[in-house]
């Protein structure tokens, strides 16, 4: 018997004890999140010389890598738009690993039924109609990819071409219109073979990131044929929203596929206060909403929604004698890029069932109030300049004098907060977003104190 087999046998016999040790380590990590430095990044030490089963691997991880991990699951990580994990979502995620379903929607498991139920809960919380079908994917990039791939297939039907069968050459050039498509959309265009150059920038409103709908109408009128329009429901820098209702109204005059990128701000629809920002998104052809952002489920998780299930299946169908070939909600093998799918719906099901719309409305509104408070402090500080009104959960600012990148480095070096660089209206800036269910006013005051502590005298 090999030594490796001995380790596997021993670990199997001690699975319960190993999981309890991991649980204890995870509990310690979570307990330290409010106090440990927010950003990690210290280089790992050299690998251990010997391998000795799961317990030895755990020891090596804790020694070499754990000290350098970011506290991105904590309440003062404001970089990107990163949520934490609610207790219920964490329970669901751990179970998803233990249960280890390949959630394709096959007949041997009711994982597909749970995913459909989760999608219904999600759709209802956001106020979207039942005509939207969906599927869990790894993140906003894949959700945008799915929506745009289905839009590409729709363009083919307008031209009498089956793009999934004949390929892009049969379709010819494609025009994608947007005022400020997220980088994940541009990446998706490259992966889909449409090319980054297929994106045509449309003018935004003055001093805004939202599209000028009149300029969009002109671009549609000038287009040689049907287009894809990518609308933003929450931009990364200023949380700006395109006028989705006005864009949807253009469908009476022009042929276009409307894809709404609502990666983080779609969750704002859980709140009656913020749902009006998304008025009109029910007219979209496809929608992206991320879950490891404001829904606060662990990475990786997002939902790709569409009202055109047959078109989506034309793109992603997988023919094999041993696979279900039906095109229907729940047969996710035929609806997503992956043949093998983690049970991503389970953490989302847990958190939606645990806290519901009322719970998420409270998180959304509290985070927005916190961002507004920080914006007020920044606006009142003569050494800083707030670059855009705080309208949701994000903020963007720069020093009145000096370099924004240098100031950001000093802020992040305090270990009290982590934010990211950006460029807004041609100016280098600092941006952040508050998306964690556990962020408190005390956290906000610590963040503000950290910013003040590194400002020049």
């Amino acid at each position: 018997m090999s030594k490796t087999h001995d380790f596997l046998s021993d670990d199997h016999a001690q699975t319960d004890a190993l999981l309890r040790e991991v649980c204890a380590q995870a509990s310690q990590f979570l307990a330290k999140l409010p106090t440990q430095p927010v950003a990690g990044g210290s280089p790992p030490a050299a690998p251990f010389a010997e391998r000795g089963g799961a317990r030895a691997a755990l020891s090596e991880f804790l020694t070499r890598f754990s000290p350098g991990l970011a506290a991105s699951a904590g309440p003062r990580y404001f970089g990107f738009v990163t949520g934490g994990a609610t207790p219920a979502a964490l329970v669901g995620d751990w179970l998803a690993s233990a249960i280890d379903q390949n959630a394709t929607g096959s007949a041997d498991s009711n994982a597909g039924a749970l995913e459909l139920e989760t999608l219904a809960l999600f759709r209802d919380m956001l106020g979207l109609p039942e005509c939207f079908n969906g599927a869990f994917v790894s993140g906003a990039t894949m959700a945008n990819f799915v929506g745009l791939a289905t839009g590409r297939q729709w363009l083919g039907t307008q031209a009498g071409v089956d793009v999934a069968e004949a390929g892009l050459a049969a379709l010819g050039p494609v025009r994608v219109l947007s005022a400020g498509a997220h980088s994940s959309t541009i990446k998706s265009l490259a992966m889909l073979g449409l090319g980054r150059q297929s994106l045509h920038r449309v003018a935004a409103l003055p001093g805004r990131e939202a599209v000028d709908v009149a300029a969009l109408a002109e671009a549609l009128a000038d287009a040689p044929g049907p287009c894809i329009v990518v609308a933003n429901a929450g931009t990364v820098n200023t949380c700006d929203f395109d006028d989705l209702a006005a864009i949807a109204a253009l469908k009476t005059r022009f042929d276009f596929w409307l894809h709404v990128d609502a990666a983080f701000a779609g969750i704002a629809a859980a709140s009656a206060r913020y749902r009006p920002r998304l008025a009109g998104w029910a007219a979209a052809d496809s929608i992206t909403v991320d879950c490891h952002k404001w829904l606060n489920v662990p990475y990786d998780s997002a939902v790709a929604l569409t009202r055109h299930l047959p078109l989506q299946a034309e793109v992603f169908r997988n023919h094999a004698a041993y696979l279900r070939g039906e095109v229907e909600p729940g047969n996710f093998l035929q609806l997503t890029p992956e043949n093998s799918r983690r049970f991503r719906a389970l953490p989302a099901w847990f958190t939606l069932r645990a806290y519901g719309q009322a719970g998420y409305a409270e998180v959304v509104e509290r985070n927005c109030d916190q961002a507004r408070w920080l914006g007020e402090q920044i606006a009142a500080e003569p050494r800083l300049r707030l670059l855009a009104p705080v309208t949701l959960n994000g903020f963007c600012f720069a020093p009145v004098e000096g370099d924004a990148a240098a100031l950001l480095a000093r802020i992040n070096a305090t270990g009290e907060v982590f934010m990211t660089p950006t460029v807004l209206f041609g100016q280098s800036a600092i941006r952040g977003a508050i998306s964690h269910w556990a962020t408190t006013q005390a956290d906000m005051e610590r963040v503000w104190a950290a910013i003040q502590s590194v400002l020049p005298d």
Side-chain angles (χ1 to χ4, degrees):
M1 184 179 294
S2 70
K3 191 172 184 179
T4 299
H5 187 275
D6 288 345
F7 286 144
L8 283 169
S9 299
D10 290 346
D11 285 348
H12 178 67
Q14 299 180 57
T15 296
D16 186 67
L18 287 167
L19 290 177
R20 291 178 186 278
E21 287 183 36
V22 170
C23 182
Q25 292 294 337
S27 295
Q28 291 179 32
F29 179 82
L30 293 173
K32 292 189 296 184
L33 279 177
T35 56
Q36 75 179 76
V38 177
S42 60
F48 285 13
E50 296 293 330
R51 294 180 177 87
R55 188 168 279 107
L58 176 61
S59 176
E60 180 172 0
F61 166 76
L62 294 172
T63 301
R64 296 182 57 221
F65 291 100
S66 185
L69 296 177
S72 53
R76 296 188 310 284
Y77 190 94
F78 295 169
F80 314 104
V81 188
T82 301
T86 66
L90 183 58
V91 168
D93 195 66
W94 281 25
L95 277 174
S97 292
I99 296 168
D100 196 23
Q101 299 287 285
N102 183 5
T104 62
S106 63
D108 66 341
S109 169
N110 64 10
L114 182 138
E115 184 161 346
L116 285 174
E117 182 171 304
T118 308
L119 291 164
L121 292 169
F122 189 71
R123 186 181 59 221
D124 291 347
M125 184 180 79
L126 302 184
L128 288 168
E130 292 184 8
C131 61
F132 279 96
N133 290 291
F136 276 83
V137 291
S138 60
T141 300
M142 266 298 111
N144 284 334
F145 179 91
V146 170
L148 294 169
T150 311
R152 183 187 65 180
Q153 190 72 2
W154 175 84
L155 288 174
T157 65
Q158 309 311 297
V161 174
D162 186 338
V163 178
E165 292 295 325
L168 278 176
L171 179 61
V174 168
R175 183 167 293 202
V176 180
L177 305 175
S178 183
H182 188 266
S183 61
S184 63
T185 291
I186 302 170
K187 182 176 183 177
S188 296
L189 294 176
M191 292 191 293
L192 287 165
L194 298 174
R196 295 181 179 92
Q197 293 182 8
S198 68
L199 179 64
H200 294 257
R201 298 283 184 179
V202 181
L205 294 169
R208 296 270 306 276
E209 292 185 296
V211 70
D212 183 330
V213 177
L216 177 60
E218 291 179 9
L220 288 165
D222 291 342
C227 300
I228 294 175
V229 172
V230 177
N232 288 309
T235 59
V236 171
N237 282 336
T238 66
C239 303
D240 211 346
F241 286 74
D242 288 336
D243 188 337
L244 302 178
I247 295 172
L250 294 177
K251 280 178 162 282
T252 62
R253 297 164 53 193
F254 307 104
D255 286 334
F256 62 92
W257 178 275
L258 177 55
H259 176 72
V260 174
D261 184 351
F264 74 91
I267 301 299
S271 162
R273 184 195 304 175
Y274 293 105
R275 182 175 287 187
R277 307 274 182 95
L278 292 132
W281 74 329
D285 295 290
S286 54
I287 297 174
T288 286
V289 185
D290 225 331
C291 298
H292 52 235
K293 292 183 169 64
W294 227 348
L295 195 70
N296 278 237
V297 304
Y299 283 94
D300 53 19
S301 183
V303 171
L305 294 163
T306 182
R307 56 169 68 245
H308 302 278
L309 196 73
L311 282 176
Q312 186 172 334
E314 286 179 15
V315 178
F316 297 108
R317 66 187 179 192
N318 190 317
H319 291 299
Y322 58 90
L323 298 175
R324 283 182 60 209
E326 297 88 349
V327 175
E328 60 186 8
N331 190 4
F332 301 107
L333 180 74
Q334 308 294 343
L335 301 174
T336 64
E338 301 164 306
N339 282 1
S340 301
R341 303 173 71 244
R342 189 173 189 271
F343 200 4
R344 294 189 186 100
L346 189 56
W349 182 89
F350 261 86
T351 198
L352 289 168
R353 292 295 292 163
Y355 312 119
Q357 180 174 343
Y360 277 98
E362 192 276 332
V363 171
V364 165
E365 291 171 9
R366 177 158 41 85
N367 287 163
C368 292
D369 290 344
Q370 290 163 342
R372 189 180 309 109
W373 178 87
L374 186 59
E376 290 169 355
Q377 311 315 304
I378 293 169
E381 168 55 62
R383 294 167 289 182
L384 297 175
R385 187 155 64 95
L386 190 66
L387 298 182
V390 177
T391 60
L392 199 68
N393 65 328
F395 51 89
C396 193
F397 67 100
V400 171
E401 297 180 357
D403 180 56
L407 176 59
L408 175 61
R410 294 197 299 271
I411 293 171
N412 287 344
T414 67
E416 289 290 275
V417 65
F418 181 80
M419 296 181 286
T420 46
T422 193
V423 175
L424 180 63
F425 308 136
Q427 178 175 351
S428 296
I430 300 167
R431 61 155 300 281
I434 306 168
S435 313
H436 200 293
W437 67 271
T439 302
T440 65
Q441 182 59 28
D443 288 311
M444 299 309 302
E445 290 169 5
R446 285 179 64 173
V447 169
W448 178 234
I451 294 172
Q452 287 183 301
S453 72
V454 297
L455 291 176
D457 295 330

